[in-house]
Amino acid sequence: MSFLVLEDISKVFPTAVGVEKFDLSVERGEFISFLGPSGCGKTTTLRMVAGFESPTTGRIILNGEDITDRPPNQRNVGMVFQSYALFPNMTVAQNIGFGLKIRKEPESAIKQRVAEMLALIHLEQKGNSFPHQLSGGQQQRVALARALAIRPQVLLLDEPLSALDAKIRVSLRAEIRAIQRQLGITAIYVTHDQEEALSISDRIVVMHEGKIEQVGTPFEIYNFPTTRFVANFVGSLNTAEVEVMDPSAGIVAMNGIRLTSASDLKEKRKGDKVMIAIRPERIGFIAEGEKENVFDGKVENITFLGSVVRIQLRVGGTVFNMDTFNRPSLQLPQTGDTVRVTCSSKAVLVLSE
Amino acid sequence: MKKNVFWNWFWIFISLVYFFIPLYATFNFSLKARKGELSLLAYQQMMEDPRILRSLIFSTEIGLLTILLGLLLMVPTVYLVRLKAPRLRPVIEFISLLPFVIPAIVLVFGLIRTYSGGLLPLTNNYTGLNFLLIAGYVVIGLPYLYRSVDAGMSAIDVVTLTEAAQSLGASWPTIMLRVIIPNLRSAMLGAAFLTLAIVLGEFTLATFLVGLKAFGPVIWQVGQNRAYEASALVIVSFIITWVLMGLINFVGRRGAADGSVAAGPR
């Protein structure tokens, strides 16, 4: 049995459905991210694991024990909040030692554990500081240490980096991941930032309107989105409605252009309308000898995005974005030029609704 | 920038003048009991009058008990409303404002009529009357108590702090005693200060319930024919309020330091 199981969980609020039929199994030591827009139910689900919300239906099983009705202070689950939630009246060391003091551990053991945690977050010199004397990033590291000090079975992180500036966010998320790997702790991380989820997770649960849209590794989520929502939410994407021409060969037509898709179209019939998606970076200028999925586009706009150049193409009635690496040897077309581009059949994804 | 600093100091100066001139005038007047010179005669006569000291001690005790009862009622109430029923906040806020519109005379007659007989007669003994006085003062102090405590809780995000403490294994009493109350110290001190100031100067409830046992009616009576002593009384009650607040603050700080968790490596 998996280490943490969320079995048919749902949460109904008086005016809305918070979470619906949520099933997930998490292995010991796994780093899972709940990804989705505001109001999709990701924080509600996390709060049910923490015990701050009770599921309307379903069970939560942690390490073989049903903890569905157990109060939050008896779950041994560590939680890190967006607003840090450090106790303002206590020093950093007192904050970190709080959970151990509650557990009535001996003073010497508390001191030793606090020192270990301070070393883990590289704040050995800040033990006697008060939270208001620390930067936002330092406060969040203390909050992480405080949650880890009690040796929780699961570490829950509710948008822990949202209140920090961009540079600190990137360094701190790497630090969180490194600490999680070092301790081998099971972690659930809530975020609406796709880049954060993709960079940090073993698996991502993409949520939308209280339901799971897709569960997969960052590679799967990014490269093989199964629904239109996931495709649109994770990364940027070109989508178009196309007509199925030959289901067995995976051939579709878009504004008269024949495209081959490696996705399964066997359940479709000729003439059916389906939605396809192509990532901008999967479209490229045509190289010699390429014959698959070749089409012309008129350049409407060119945008420099640092390491990437985005070229906006009009293909029939559809606008496609094409991303190419920005390198000195790159020969860019001019706005108004017609260019011939291509993509592999694997890049043409057929989305379910 | 310089202009801003000037205006900041200007308004601080105006506020200080506004608050301290009446106080200074009262103090100055209290020193003029002996014709043509400044003296502490009024203070000396005040100290020689046993009624004054007795009533001052009585009202201070009643004030401290009012603070204790008021905070015991309001801190858990405001905390639970914020935590479990935030939609009730406007209702509680409305209730807390009622003492502003219900005159003290109405309140005291209500208390006397309700508790002069029936199941819980309280007006036929001193303990009962003292208790009624404290209960009445809690009601009168409600707007100040509620507002101070509520503002204090707004400042510390009690909901998230509570959840953080819960996730670390803390029980409700531990959360209240180690997390919430220590962070409400200045708010509670503000509430206590206002309550004590109200109790020491209150006249209506005290007159009808305990008469000249309380400080307010005594100041009033002394002020009828001994104006210098009345001014001295006001100054003394003001100093007592400040000293008590300082003591509460000192005790609160020591309590917080003693009750805190062990610190890590130094």
Side-chain angles (χ1 to χ4, degrees), chain A residues 36 71 74 98 129 174 176 246 336 352:
Chain A
Q74 288 168 26
F98 182 83
S129 302
I176 289 172
D246 183 349
S352 65

Side-chain angles (χ1 to χ4, degrees), chain A residues 47 52 72-73 77 79 81 83 85-90 93-94 98-99 101-103 107 110-111 114-115 118 128 146-147 150, chain B residues 87 156-157 159-172 174-175 178-179 182-183 257 260-266:
Chain A
R47 289 173 62 79
F52 301 136
N73 61 346
V77 164
M79 180 108 175
F81 299 83
S83 58
L86 295 177
F87 307 129
N89 58 313
M90 297 180 198
Q94 288 168 340
F98 182 83
K101 188 91 180 168
I102 298 294
R103 285 161 174 74
E107 288 294 319
I110 295 176
K111 274 190 177 177
V114 169
L118 283 170
N128 293 328
R146 184 180 65 177
I150 59 169
Chain B
R87 275 185 287 182
I156 56 165
D157 187 3
V159 177
T160 317
L161 286 184
T162 301
E163 288 179 352
Q166 277 184 306
S167 72
L168 293 167
S171 60
W172 288 109
T174 308
I175 295 169
R178 289 200 185 163
V179 178
N183 286 303
S260 59
V261 295
R266 301 280 157 183

